[in-house]
Amino acid sequence: MPTLRQLTYLVAIAETGHMGRAAERVGVTQPTLSAQIAELERKLGVKLAERGRSGAMLTDIGRDTVKRARDILSAVEDLKDHAAGAQTGLAGTMRLGVLPTIGPYLLP
């Protein structure tokens, strides 16, 4: 099962096109990032990035995986935001009953 950290690293590689710059962006060393991407590739059974002296290029399946990883990471952020909103006590649906004769004057 891929981890959120591995997906974050893969997205960083896609955005920077370079393993070293991606490692800087996510705050880890380049060998750590490279090892996590290798582990992700092993788990998925596909080659996601071609590494070279000039940088890292995503394979076709790598580009498709990045799109899915972005969707997953976005959904996780939405979940965090939803949970944070619930902590304030002002989350969910709020229903208000008003007489129809005064509603147009009070609600706007």
Side-chain angles (χ1 to χ4, degrees):
M1 181 74 63
T3 66
L4 295 176
R5 179 170 290 146
Q6 290 169 337
L7 297 178
T8 301
Y9 292 173
L10 182 63
V11 169
I13 291 170
E15 291 172 353
T16 62
H18 193 270
M19 297 290 256
R21 287 190 291 271
E24 282 180 28
R25 178 178 284 189
V26 295
V28 298
T29 63
Q30 189 272 329
T32 299
L33 182 126
S34 185
Q36 286 296 311
I37 294 300
E39 178 66 16
L40 178 61
E41 290 175 332
R42 186 192 66 74
K43 286 178 181 178
L44 296 177
V46 294
K47 189 82 167 159
L48 299 171
E50 296 292 333
R51 297 147 179 90
R53 289 191 181 274
S54 62
M57 291 184 55
L58 295 175
T59 61
D60 290 337
I61 189 71
R63 284 188 289 278
D64 185 49
T65 304
V66 166
K67 289 177 189 172
R68 293 170 187 258
R70 284 184 174 130
D71 291 342
I72 291 167
L73 294 171
S74 175
V76 169
E77 286 302 314
D78 288 346
L79 179 64
K80 287 180 186 177
D81 292 343
H82 176 71
Q87 290 178 346
T88 64
L90 296 175
T93 303
M94 201 180 286
R95 297 179 192 259
L96 180 65
V98 179
L99 295 171
T101 55
I102 61 171
Y105 303 104
L106 292 178
L107 295 180

